[in-house]
Amino acid sequence: MTRSLILIASMLLPLLTSCQSYNWVVYANPSVGNAKEGQQCQPDIIGLGPHIDLTGNEAMRVGGLTKARTIEYRVANFLGWGKECIVAHGE
């Protein structure tokens, strides 16, 4: 029983460690009440493919922002497949 449990746990451990989901604040100022939001997302396939603009300029353009209050970098993937986003909040 114990041996089979250890075997199952060792098989599932790589799956659990390959899940990633995190947010990083790239730029922050005090937020305003009725802030607009713009985001730029790209698929993240094992680190290949197009990369997003970490400055937040493209997210600001998409959201119609003229002044950024907060810019966040968000990643969510499983086994190398997922998406990464830059989200800009502002006026």
Side-chain angles (χ1 to χ4, degrees), residues 57-86:
N57 290 334
E58 185 66 24
M60 287 175 61
R61 187 189 66 77
V62 169
L65 304 174
T66 56
K67 185 176 182 181
R69 289 292 192 174
T70 306
I71 298 176
E72 297 176 3
Y73 175 67
R74 297 179 182 169
V75 173
N77 66 19
F78 179 71
L79 293 174
W81 297 83
K83 69 177 184 173
E84 58 181 356
C85 297
I86 268 288

Side-chain angles (χ1 to χ4, degrees), residues 32 34-38 65-70 88-91:
V32 291
N34 55 355
K36 294 191 279 183
E37 178 181 296
L65 304 174
T66 56
K67 185 176 182 181
R69 289 292 192 174
T70 306
H89 301 274
E91 304 166 7

Side-chain angles (χ1 to χ4, degrees), residues 2-68:
T2 310
R3 191 174 285 184
S4 62
L5 218 51
I6 292 172
L7 179 64
I8 291 172
S10 66
M11 289 172 50
L12 292 177
L13 188 61
L15 290 177
L16 295 176
T17 59
S18 63
C19 297
Q20 293 182 14
S21 178
Y22 50 86
N23 293 346
W24 289 337
V25 176
V26 178
Y27 176 77
N29 265 339
S31 61
V32 291
N34 55 355
K36 294 191 279 183
E37 178 181 296
Q39 75 177 21
Q40 176 197 12
C41 293
Q42 294 289 339
D44 183 24
I45 304 169
I46 314 172
L48 303 174
H51 296 286
I52 60 174
D53 176 27
L54 292 176
T55 62
N57 290 334
E58 185 66 24
M60 287 175 61
R61 187 189 66 77
V62 169
L65 304 174
T66 56
K67 185 176 182 181

